[in-house]
Amino acid sequence: METSLQDEALSPDDRDFVTALASGLEVILAFDEAHPRMTLSEVASRTGMNRARARRFLLTLHALGYVRKRQRHFELAPQVLNLGYAFLSANNYRSVIQQILEDITNECGESSSLGVLDGDDVTYVARSSSRHRLMAITLSVGTRLPAAHTSMGRVLLAQLPDAELDAFLARVVLEPHTDKTITDKAELRRCILEVRQQGYAIADQELDSGLRSVAVPAFDANGRLLGAINISTNAARVDFDTLMRRYLPLLQEKARQIRASVS
């Protein structure tokens, strides 16, 4: 009998858990938009490793071509993109969804994305951008945003079994990004359960002032969850009524196209 991935999940103290691999990935993930170049000491500080351990991992990653060294500083090398490409190429539905996202942008003039749940965040895995700037940060493939405060995140959280949703709510820290951000866990639970019932989510200026979005789940022909697709817009340009009457039905139709096209 085949064992599920959930059953296979290891804890760090399991004898099959490869600590060196986990630490190497931790070093890669320490680099981000705010920390594109770091010294050895900075990498050690961000990962919680001592300098000797961080140095070994950095030099190994350098030897493999994933990290570049420029005098005292380290930075990620373009070869790191191969790790992300492996995910995209293994999920060959992306080209179909990318075209559908572009169709959404062409039809309504707004940005549209596909996101997946990754820990407590939503990671963007496909995106069609409009000419409108929505947030202070640049949204692109690979961007991570807190699931609790985004429409895609709430759609994906609504798909979780009750036990996993309970675990998420127990550990998540709800930061007040704007004066509209939901920071009460009981209120967030009610919101997610409502999303589960109605099949869509709206996030109205909770993550960034002026950012309004709507999202629905995307499934393949076998009912497997692929992620969530959204339309994101500016609240000053698109009112709530337009979001519900025009954008939500458009998203729902595109979700049906995805289900009919991806097996």
Side-chain angles (χ1 to χ4, degrees), residues 2 13 15 26 35 89 139 237 249 262-263:
E2 187 174 340
D13 58 353
R15 64 184 180 86
E26 187 178 358
H35 307 86
S89 60
L139 298 176
R237 191 176 65 253
V262 179
S263 58

Side-chain angles (χ1 to χ4, degrees), residues 198-216:
Q198 66 193 15
Y200 67 88
I202 290 175
D204 190 9
Q205 305 181 76
E206 290 191 44
L207 188 62
D208 196 56
S209 296
L211 178 64
R212 177 177 286 162
S213 66
V214 57
V216 299

Side-chain angles (χ1 to χ4, degrees), residues 19-39:
T19 303
L21 175 59
S23 297
L25 293 173
E26 187 178 358
V27 168
I28 290 175
L29 293 174
F31 294 88
D32 57 21
E33 185 177 11
H35 307 86
R37 300 174 70 239
M38 291 187 285
T39 64

